[in-house]
Amino acid sequence: MTVTLNHTIVPAADNGRAARFLADVMGLECLPPTGSRGHFVPVRVNDSLTLDYMTVEEPHAVHLAFEVDPATFDGVLARLRAGGVPYGSRPDAPDNGRVDHPLCPRGLFFRDENGHLFEVMSPE
């Protein structure tokens, strides 16, 4: 059997707001709440993976990296710029406004209000 990651929990101060932010920036689908009390707000990343946002009192920051095609990268960059969300080319400078990623031709990092560090990498 092939091992496939199905979902991961992403802690947030407000699961709905955090899920919508990532879905909006990445151009992904934010699904209706799930779980016995609707305490997860999933963001569909692809056919087999969701990021399930869960409200917690003190969220700890995580790093999530996405590999995307050039058109998707352009869309993410445009939405970050339009939303006034700082981005940058390095994890220690996620607000330098550059996309010259150290590991790929174009890439960027940005943070959300929970401190999560998102990385978006494009092969072109």
Side-chain angles (χ1 to χ4, degrees):
M1 176 179 174
T2 301
V3 176
T4 302
L5 183 62
N6 175 269
H7 72 276
T8 191
I9 305 299
V10 182
D14 179 326
N15 61 356
R17 187 169 64 207
R20 283 187 301 277
F21 171 79
L22 182 66
D24 288 348
V25 167
M26 295 295 296
L28 300 172
E29 181 183 11
C30 190
L31 302 172
T34 63
S36 62
R37 297 176 308 281
H39 57 281
F40 297 118
V41 178
V43 174
R44 167 88 37 221
V45 176
N46 57 42
D47 290 339
S48 64
L49 176 64
T50 61
L51 300 177
D52 293 4
Y53 280 82
M54 182 174 78
T55 298
V56 298
E57 281 190 37
E58 296 182 30
H60 64 278
V62 299
H63 173 177
L64 297 170
F66 302 92
E67 188 171 329
V68 301
D69 60 68
T72 301
F73 183 87
D74 291 340
V76 170
L77 182 58
R79 288 185 290 274
L80 289 170
R81 287 177 173 160
V85 178
Y87 63 89
S89 59
R90 299 189 333 256
D92 62 343
D95 58 355
N96 67 12
R98 296 171 31 189
V99 296
D100 55 325
H101 193 280
L103 301 177
C104 59
R106 290 192 311 158
L108 58 81
F109 296 85
F110 66 96
R111 290 192 183 277
D112 72 1
E113 65 183 21
N114 295 286
H116 300 313
L117 182 65
F118 299 102
E119 181 175 8
V120 183
M121 301 175 288
S122 176
E124 298 174 23

